Structures are given as C-alpha cells and as structure tokens.
Amino acid sequence: MKVLELGCGNSQLSEELYKDGITEITCIDLSAVAVEKMQKRLALKGYNEIKVLEADMLDLPFSNECFDVVIEKGTMDVLFVDSGDPWNPRPETVNKVMAMLEDAHRVLKPDGIFISISFGQPHFRRPLFDSPKFTWSVEWNTFGDAFHYFFYVLKKGRRSLDGKVSSERVQPPSISLLHEELESEDYIFRTNIDEMNS
C-alpha cells in the first residue's frame, strides 16, 4: 500500500503507519523547516524508507493514480482560516480547497481512499467533497464529546452511477475520546475503514 500524507508538519502519523507495516509512505509539507525536522527525526529512528518532501498540496509533484491512500489531518482546515463566512467562503478559499481535492483525487488509484480529519462540519465540507468533478463516495464519523473532529472517508470510484450525491453519515464509534486522545492520533488507528458503509 502506498500512502501520501499531506501537510505532515511534526505529525507522528507516518511513524505509526510504518510500525503497523506500511512502508511505502510519502509525507509532504510546504515548510522547508518542517520537512528538515521530520527527515532528521525519522533518520534518528531508522525509518529511512519514509520519504519526506517539500511540496505544495495544491500542486502535487506526483503522477496520476499512484497512491492507494491520501490522508490529511487538519491541513485543509488551514485553507479556511481567512475564508470569511463559513456558509459562503471567499472564492479564493474555494479555489484553493478545490485545487487540493482535485490533486488528491488525481493521484489516487482508481479504488483509492482519501481520508480527511478535520474540524470542519459535514454541512460545510460536503458541498466541496460532493463536486461533480469527483468519483468518490463520502462518509464520515465524529470523534469527541464537546470537542469534535470529523473523520471523512472518500472512496474513489464509489459515487453512485446516477450522479446523485452519495454522502452518508456512518454510525458513531463506540469509543469516547478526550481532547488529549485526539491530539495523540491514536484514534486514527482505532478506526476500521472497511467497517464504514461503502
């Protein structure tokens, strides 16, 4: 399985994936400083197979259909910082988000999965995810009590054939998480994507 992490920053997600046996991992970040720190940290731990590159998620330097999974954790949220009204974001914000999603869709294999972990509620994210440009289905799960993260799973090639929006909410997980658990990223590894409705 080939995995691409967008906007890795100082996340330990790639390390945890590596420990779980996924070795073909590429991490990108726009910050040269973040990339250098991540490269050094991974090298010290002996995770030399994980690639860390300086790259722009709005213009990915990869060929079409080359990753099984593309994942972002809070990276897309950064694009919404100056978006204005969340119900009607500024056109430049929408253009950036769509550029990110289009490139994620492009580099995914025909049956690939895009995972987005976000503060953005479904009523704000679905209009973007459900663009007719994309062939993926959209499902999501919610984590946390008062402080929510939304775990979106977009499966390429699974959109309904009649062109109707295929978004649905899956059943909430049986686990309840504290903010500290959300920050540790452990909840990502307790989510079974195959159990989410397809």
Side-chain angles (χ1 to χ4, degrees):
M1 180 179 291
K2 293 183 70 175
V3 176
L4 172 64
E5 182 183 4
L6 305 178
C8 59
N10 64 356
S11 170
Q12 296 180 14
L13 177 61
S14 61
E15 297 171 47
E16 296 300 325
L17 290 171
Y18 190 88
K19 290 175 191 174
D20 278 354
I22 299 170
T23 56
E24 291 193 61
I25 303 169
T26 303
C27 305
I28 67 159
D29 201 284
L30 194 57
S31 166
V33 173
V35 167
E36 184 181 356
K37 286 184 176 180
M38 176 77 96
Q39 288 171 335
K40 287 179 179 176
R41 190 180 83 212
L42 293 172
L44 284 172
K45 294 183 177 184
Y47 299 144
N48 299 316
E49 292 173 294
I50 300 174
K51 297 174 192 161
V52 186
L53 310 172
E54 183 180 344
D56 187 347
M57 67 182 178
L58 306 184
D59 187 21
L60 295 173
F62 306 110
S63 60
N64 295 347
E65 300 183 348
C66 59
F67 290 99
D68 298 287
V69 175
V70 176
I71 185 167
E72 70 87 17
K73 187 178 76 70
T75 308
M76 186 166 59
D77 291 345
V78 173
L79 300 176
F80 285 93
V81 169
D82 295 321
S83 65
D85 178 6
W87 292 101
N88 189 22
R90 293 186 175 104
E92 55 269 25
T93 298
V94 173
N95 290 340
K96 287 179 182 177
V97 172
M98 290 306 293
M100 175 194 168
L101 293 175
E102 286 168 18
D103 244 18
H105 192 271
R106 178 183 65 78
V107 301
L108 277 174
K109 292 180 181 178
D111 58 350
I113 295 173
F114 175 55
I115 298 172
S116 175
I117 301 161
S118 171
F119 291 118
Q121 297 95 336
H123 47 272
F124 296 131
R125 294 295 187 261
R126 282 179 56 189
L128 300 163
F129 291 154
D130 285 331
S131 168
K133 297 178 180 183
F134 307 129
T135 64
W136 48 40
S137 61
V138 182
E139 302 161 11
W140 71 90
N141 222 325
T142 306
F143 289 88
D145 292 324
F147 187 77
H148 292 112
Y149 277 78
F150 298 90
F151 191 109
Y152 298 95
V153 177
L154 291 75
K155 297 178 181 179
K156 190 173 180 181
R158 297 287 188 91
R159 192 168 189 145
S160 63
L161 295 176
D162 59 8
K164 291 181 180 176
V165 172
S166 57
S167 300
E168 59 183 277
R169 180 174 182 172
V170 297
Q171 291 298 317
S174 59
I175 56 176
S176 178
L177 301 172
L178 302 172
H179 175 71
E180 293 79 17
E181 292 174 292
L182 291 169
E183 286 297 313
S184 75
E185 301 178 339
D186 287 345
Y187 68 96
I188 296 171
F189 300 98
R190 288 189 266 167
T191 301
N192 187 338
I193 293 173
D194 293 329
E195 289 178 0
M196 298 178 82
N197 297 332
S198 55

